[in-house]
């Protein structure tokens, strides 16, 4: 609205100025034309009358000439036009020149015109023409004409101009207001509203200015700008979230590393005393009578269990790089199943390893894979306290790994371990491979088994997936890369650790 | 077990290289372990199996033993010891360092290292320096005894008898 007022004001003032100047110029020109006309009219009149008066004066004498002049006067209204005989040297006031200039012109024998503003009214235009008449000295005719008409005319013109100016001013002002409001004020108003909304954070407002002019363009560009701002804000929000997640992950990894170091340190310290406890318990078991001997044997078993826990803790703190050999996953699975056979039987669990006749080759560390399978088998067995069937199967096919692991689509071998246990709740599924996370009772496990297994599998370039339904059971699938076709099948290398560990079972 | 035949080197006990009752025909084992109970456990177990056992309580004492044994080298091996069992982390000197040193004089006597720090690097280093085996603690004591028996039987007609 203020803008429209400014427009209106500017238009009106400009227009008034122009009109005033123009009117002034016109009026002045008219006046001068007017006066020129009057002047030449008077001269013409004088020149027309002069010879007549001269002739009359010569033939009939002065009084006849004066009478003629009176006659001319009577024909005209005296206020408007008057003719007078002027004599420069006359002492009669009716014949005296009005001014010294007039007298001087008469004496010079020149025509003279002047304006006389003295007296009442609007002034007069006077002309004097010297007429040579015998016996009069410098004399002539003086014509006086009122300027009233001129004044009236200019007054009328001014009045008309004023009216026109006011009318135009009003109209232009109104138009300016309307145009200013409709084409500028209103779109700008909506732009202001939108800008306020954007400043307050709402980037979803859209301007609907549909004019096909600069404001329409501006509105469209502002809408585009809002879109980009919104996109940029989303991008920043996403990047911030990603960065925060990465930082959290780093912190988590750092925490894990610290815990790992702590755990390793504790495990190291416990190794020697545990060795002594275990050995002494073994000795006692052989020396006592059956009741106490059984207790001593429990000490042995628990010591072995503690040894396993310590091994797991040490592995967790320090993952070993795999020493790969070409192996058949079926063999490892069957060997592990045999090792756990007695434990499974005690819990009424039947282990079924299906595999068909085709070997499932992969290049992997046999001890580590055995450790993984052992962990999964034990979990499966422990998930079925009332007994059930543990099914182990194999697949070999081209698979696309899950996103985010950085692994290529390629040939993979899969060992899946299926149990008929209680299943895993959905909220726990995401945390299964977290170190120290366990759904078992306190004392039943360290919560490191799956974490270590996952670490081993990832080191081999594979991954583990879990599907589970509460009440039905779970399936753990271990994916490992297929064998490298360029490497030979020299699978009998084995390693010294394997040799030692197998033969002498030094780790219990 | 007759404790007077023990030869233990602890700070508060006398150091004897040749105590009375030493059986010259038995196989000798030198054990170096800074944990007292662990050392006793290993030593007592091997004595039960018929070995003569010398105990060292830390790296420096082990070194002292090796110095003594250097004086007994015959045909490129220590004459007075048949197996050496040593912890790796001990005060005084690391088991690995002592192994490196003794291998300059004796490349035949089996050396078994035991450790609570079982990382791959240590294992590889031990074999590289000439250990016959490296065992992670905790281990099964019976398996250990079986291993020692398999490595060097408590008494054997193949190895030269010592003449004292």
């Amino acid at each position: 609205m203020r803008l429209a007022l400014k427009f209106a004001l500017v238009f009106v003032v400009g227009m008034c100025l122009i009109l005033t100047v123009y009117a002034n110029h016109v009026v002045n020109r008219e006046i001068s034309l007017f006066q020129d006309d009057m002047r030449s009219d008077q001269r013409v009149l004088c020149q027309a009358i002069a010879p007549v008066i001269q002739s009359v004066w010569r033939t009939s004498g002065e009084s006849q000439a004066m009478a003629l002049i009176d006659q001319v006067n009577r024909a005209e209204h005296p206020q408007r036009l008057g003719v007078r005989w002027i004599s420069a040297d006359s002492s009669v006031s009716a014949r005296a020149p009005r001014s010294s200039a007039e007298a001087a012109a008469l004496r010079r024998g020149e025509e003279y015109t002047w304006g006389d503003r003295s007296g009442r009214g609007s002034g007069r235009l006077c002309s004097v023409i010297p007429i040579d008449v015998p016996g009069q000295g410098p004399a002539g005719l003086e014509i006086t004409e009122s300027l009233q008409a001129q004044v009236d005319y200019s007054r009328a013109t001014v009045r008309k101009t004023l009216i026109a100016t006011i009318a135009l001013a009003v109209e232009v002002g109104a138009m300016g207001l309307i145009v200013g409001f409709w084409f500028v004020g209103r779109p700008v108003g909506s732009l202001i509203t939108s800008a306020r909304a954007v400043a307050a954070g709402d980037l979803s407002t859209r301007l609907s200015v549909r004019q096909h002019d600069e404001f329409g363009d501006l509105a469209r560009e502002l809408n585009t700008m809002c879109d980009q701002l919104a996109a940029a804000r989303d991008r920043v929000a996403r990047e911030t979230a990603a960065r925060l997640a990465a930082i959290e992950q780093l912190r988590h990894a750092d925490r894990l590393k610290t815990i790992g170091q702590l755990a390793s340190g504790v495990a190291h310290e416990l190794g020697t005393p545990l060795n002594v406890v275990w050995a002494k318990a073994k000795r006692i078991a052989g020396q006592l009578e059956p009741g106490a001997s059984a207790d001593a044997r429990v000490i042995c078993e628990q010591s072995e269990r503690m040894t396993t826990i310590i091994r797991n803790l040490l592995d967790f703190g320090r993952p070993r790089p795999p020493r790969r050999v070409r192996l058949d996953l079926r063999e490892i699975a069957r060997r592990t199943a045999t090792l756990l056979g007695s434990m499974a039987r005690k819990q009424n669990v039947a282990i079924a390893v299906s595999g068909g006749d085709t070997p499932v080759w992969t290049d992997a560390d046999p001890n580590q894979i055995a450790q993984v399978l052992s962990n999964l088998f034990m979990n499966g067995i422990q998930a079925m306290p009332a007994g059930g069937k543990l099914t182990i199967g194999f697949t070999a096919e081209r698979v696309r790994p899950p996103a985010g692991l950085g692994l290529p689509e390629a040939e993979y071998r899969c060992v899946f371990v299926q149990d008929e246990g209680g299943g895993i709740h959905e909220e726990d599924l995401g945390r299964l491979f977290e170190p120290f996370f366990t759904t078992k009772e306190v004392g039943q496990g360290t919560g490191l088994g799956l974490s270590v297994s996952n670490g081993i599998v990832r080191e081999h370039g594979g991954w583990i997936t879990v599907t589970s339904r509460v009440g039905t059971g779970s399936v753990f699938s271990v994916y490992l890369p297929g064998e490298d076709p360029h490497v030979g099948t020299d699978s009998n290398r084995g390693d010294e650790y394997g040799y030692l560990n197998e033969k002498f079972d030094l780790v219990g | 077990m007759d404790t007077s035949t023990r030869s233990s080197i602890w700070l508060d006990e006398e150091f004897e290289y040749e105590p009375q009752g030493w059986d010259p025909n038995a196989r000798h084992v030198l054990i170096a372990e800074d944990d007292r109970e662990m050392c006793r456990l290993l030593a007592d177990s091997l004595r039960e199996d018929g070995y003569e056992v010398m105990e060292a309580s830390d790296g420096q004492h082990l070194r002292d033993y090796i110095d003594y044994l250097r004086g007994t080298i015959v045909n490129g091996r220590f004459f007075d010891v048949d197996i050496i069992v040593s912890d790796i982390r001990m005060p005084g000197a690391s088991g690995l360092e002592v192994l490196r040193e003794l291998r300059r004089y004796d490349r035949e006597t089996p050396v078994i290292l035991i450790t609570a720090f079982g990382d791959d690097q240590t294992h590889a280093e031990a074999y590289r320096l000439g250990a016959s085996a490296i065992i992670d603690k905790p281990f099964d004591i019976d398996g250990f005894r079986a291993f020692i028996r398999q490595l060097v039987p408590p008494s054997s007609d193949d190895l030269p008898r010592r003449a004292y």
Side-chain angles (χ1 to χ4, degrees):
Chain A
M1 209 55 207
R2 294 160 291 170
L3 204 61
L5 273 172
K6 275 189 208 163
F7 281 171
L9 208 63
V10 166
F11 290 161
V12 165
V13 165
M15 186 210 65
C16 286
L17 271 173
I18 291 170
L19 280 177
T20 306
V21 165
Y22 175 71
N24 195 48
H25 170 74
V26 161
V27 164
N28 284 343
R29 235 179 84 77
E30 285 295 326
I31 286 174
S32 68
L33 278 174
F34 221 88
Q35 286 187 348
D36 288 347
D37 273 348
M38 279 176 71
R39 188 179 306 137
S40 60
D41 280 350
Q42 285 178 355
R43 295 251 175 107
V44 162
L45 187 62
C46 280
Q47 281 160 3
I49 294 178
V52 174
I53 291 182
Q54 270 181 331
S55 144
V56 166
W57 197 296
R58 284 201 190 99
T59 54
S60 309
E62 185 180 335
S63 54
Q64 285 298 343
M66 294 300 122
L68 182 60
I69 291 175
D70 288 339
Q71 216 175 332
V72 170
N73 266 333
R74 273 198 297 275
E76 295 286 337
H77 190 285
Q79 293 294 336
R80 220 178 72 58
L81 182 76
V83 181
R84 205 157 61 99
W85 182 258
I86 302 289
S87 174
D89 299 324
S90 173
S91 53
V92 178
S93 66
R95 295 192 182 179
R98 293 172 191 274
S99 65
S100 52
E102 188 182 3
L106 270 179
R107 288 203 176 92
R108 282 198 303 272
E110 284 173 4
E111 293 173 8
Y112 181 59
T113 306
W114 77 99
D116 180 9
R117 296 267 183 259
S118 67
R120 301 177 288 114
S122 332
R124 284 176 290 268
L125 190 73
C126 308
S127 293
V128 65
I129 293 183
I131 296 179
D132 188 21
V133 161
Q136 278 287 314
L141 265 182
E142 181 201 70
I143 297 188
T144 311
E145 201 169 349
S146 163
L147 289 175
Q148 186 63 42
Q150 177 200 285
V151 167
D152 287 342
Y153 168 75
S154 46
R155 277 206 191 121
T157 304
V158 167
R159 196 171 42 247
K160 277 191 266 190
T161 304
L162 207 62
I163 290 172
T165 302
I166 290 172
L168 272 177
V170 167
E171 192 241 351
V172 167
M175 290 302 293
L177 277 173
I178 290 173
V179 165
F181 175 71
W182 190 255
F183 288 109
V184 178
R186 212 175 42 101
V188 169
S190 85
L191 284 174
I192 291 171
T193 315
S194 289
R196 252 189 223 126
V198 167
D202 177 13
L203 288 173
S204 63
T205 60
R206 289 292 172 268
L207 299 167
S208 62
V209 174
R210 276 185 288 273
Q211 295 167 215
H212 296 289
D213 60 8
E214 284 82 354
F215 279 120
D217 292 346
L218 180 61
R220 266 192 301 283
E221 292 309 318
L222 280 176
N223 285 341
T224 309
M225 194 178 76
C226 278
D227 286 335
Q228 299 204 332
L229 273 175
R233 190 170 64 174
D234 286 339
R235 202 169 43 240
V236 166
R238 268 199 307 275
E239 278 168 17
T240 308
R243 202 170 297 135
L244 283 174
I247 289 175
E248 187 51 42
Q249 215 173 347
L250 274 174
R251 266 202 221 117
H252 189 58
D254 204 38
R255 271 192 295 249
L256 287 182
K257 189 164 152 235
T258 310
I259 292 176
Q261 284 169 342
L262 206 70
S264 287
V266 170
H268 287 141
E269 295 302 310
L270 289 176
T272 305
L274 187 57
N275 217 144
V276 175
V277 165
W278 185 8
K280 292 296 182 185
K282 268 197 157 181
R283 177 184 291 276
I284 294 173
Q287 292 170 354
L288 298 172
E289 70 271 16
S293 170
D295 288 340
R297 255 195 297 280
V298 167
I299 295 177
C300 288
E301 280 168 24
Q302 296 306 305
S303 302
E304 288 174 44
R305 210 174 121 210
M306 282 193 268
T307 302
T308 311
I309 292 172
I310 284 176
R311 294 248 168 268
N312 276 343
L313 277 174
L314 289 175
D315 283 344
F316 170 68
R318 180 231 328 135
R320 292 194 176 122
R323 292 151 162 249
R324 294 173 197 258
V325 297
R326 179 67 50 88
L327 57 85
D328 181 3
L329 281 173
R330 299 176 309 164
E331 273 308 308
I332 305 281
R334 283 181 195 137
R335 221 195 306 170
T336 313
T338 311
L339 275 171
L340 294 175
S342 51
M343 178 187 171
R345 269 191 297 280
K346 251 185 268 188
Q347 280 202 224
N348 234 345
V349 170
I351 306 183
V353 180
S354 68
D357 297 323
T358 345
V360 184
W361 295 117
T362 185
D363 298 322
D365 183 320
N367 285 338
Q368 290 184 359
I369 300 301
Q371 187 181 343
V372 170
L373 290 183
S374 169
N375 174 236
L376 293 179
F377 289 12
M378 278 208 288
N379 285 350
I381 293 170
Q382 282 165 350
M384 298 184 281
K389 184 161 144 198
L390 191 72
T391 315
I392 290 101
F394 308 89
T395 66
E397 59 191 356
R398 191 170 182 81
V399 175
R400 178 193 287 271
L405 294 175
L407 295 171
E409 178 176 334
E411 286 283 322
Y412 287 94
R413 312 285 172 246
C414 171
V415 183
F416 64 84
V417 180
Q418 181 169 13
D419 66 64
E420 295 168 346
I424 301 166
H425 291 283
E426 197 168 317
E427 60 262 21
D428 291 335
L429 274 179
R431 302 187 63 194
L432 275 181
F433 297 110
E434 229 178 67
F436 304 113
F437 176 81
T438 179
T439 57
K440 297 179 185 167
E441 296 289 321
V442 167
Q444 289 294 317
T446 53
L448 285 175
L450 275 178
S451 167
V452 171
S453 298
N454 192 39
I456 290 172
V457 172
R458 297 279 288 115
E459 277 288 310
H460 279 79
W463 69 96
I464 306 182
T465 60
V466 190
T467 47
S468 180
R469 193 176 302 148
V470 173
T472 310
S474 316
V475 180
F476 282 75
S477 307
V478 176
Y479 286 86
L480 292 166
E483 75 276 20
D484 186 346
H486 303 300
V487 174
T489 57
D490 171 16
S491 59
N492 288 329
R493 281 185 282 131
D495 60 306
E496 292 168 50
Y497 303 95
Y499 178 78
L500 278 175
N501 286 344
E502 264 181 63
K503 202 159 179 197
F504 301 105
D505 200 11
L506 288 168
V507 298
Chain B
M1 160 169 273
D2 187 355
T3 56
S4 66
T5 64
R6 289 171 59 185
S7 58
S8 299
I9 306 174
W10 299 110
L11 294 171
D12 53 351
E13 294 178 31
E14 239 188 18
F15 176 56
E16 292 180 351
Y17 288 121
E18 291 195 47
Q20 295 80 8
W22 192 265
D23 177 0
N25 293 323
R27 298 300 134 217
H28 299 174
V29 181
L30 171 58
I31 297 182
E33 165 62 66
D34 64 315
D35 183 286
R36 195 180 188 133
E37 284 305 328
M38 185 69 176
C39 189
R40 254 185 215 157
L41 172 75
L42 296 175
D44 290 351
S45 304
L46 292 181
R47 284 195 188 103
E48 269 177 29
D49 287 348
Y51 296 89
E52 291 291 346
V53 181
M54 301 175 275
E55 300 166 44
S57 62
D58 60 44
Q60 190 47 52
H61 288 137
L62 179 60
R63 271 208 179 109
D64 291 340
Y65 254 124
I66 301 297
D67 277 344
Y68 157 69
L69 290 168
R70 271 173 61 194
T72 71
I73 288 181
V74 171
N75 293 336
R77 71 182 284 162
F78 297 133
F79 194 69
D80 270 356
V81 72
D82 301 299
I83 306 174
I84 299 175
V85 177
S86 173
D87 194 3
I88 289 186
R89 268 180 113 226
M90 292 184 292
S94 148
L96 288 170
E97 283 169 35
V98 178
L99 171 62
R100 183 191 291 124
E101 286 164 18
L102 75 86
R103 275 292 177 241
R104 277 193 241 141
Y105 313 108
D106 175 342
R107 296 223 164 76
E108 309 253 343
T109 303
V111 175
I112 294 153
L113 297 176
I114 54 180
T115 179
F117 288 79
D119 70 316
D120 283 351
Q121 217 167 326
T122 315
H123 281 235
E125 179 74 358
Y127 287 114
R128 194 178 67 79
L129 289 173
S132 311
I134 172 164
I135 302 172
D136 290 336
K137 287 189 271 194
F139 53 83
D140 181 3
I141 188 66
D142 293 328
F144 174 75
R145 289 161 82 165
F147 180 59
I148 300 289
R149 272 199 299 275
Q150 175 265 333
L151 206 56
V152 175
S155 63
S156 162
D157 295 327
D158 295 341
L159 292 174
R161 298 284 176 201
R162 293 176 180 83
Y164 283 106

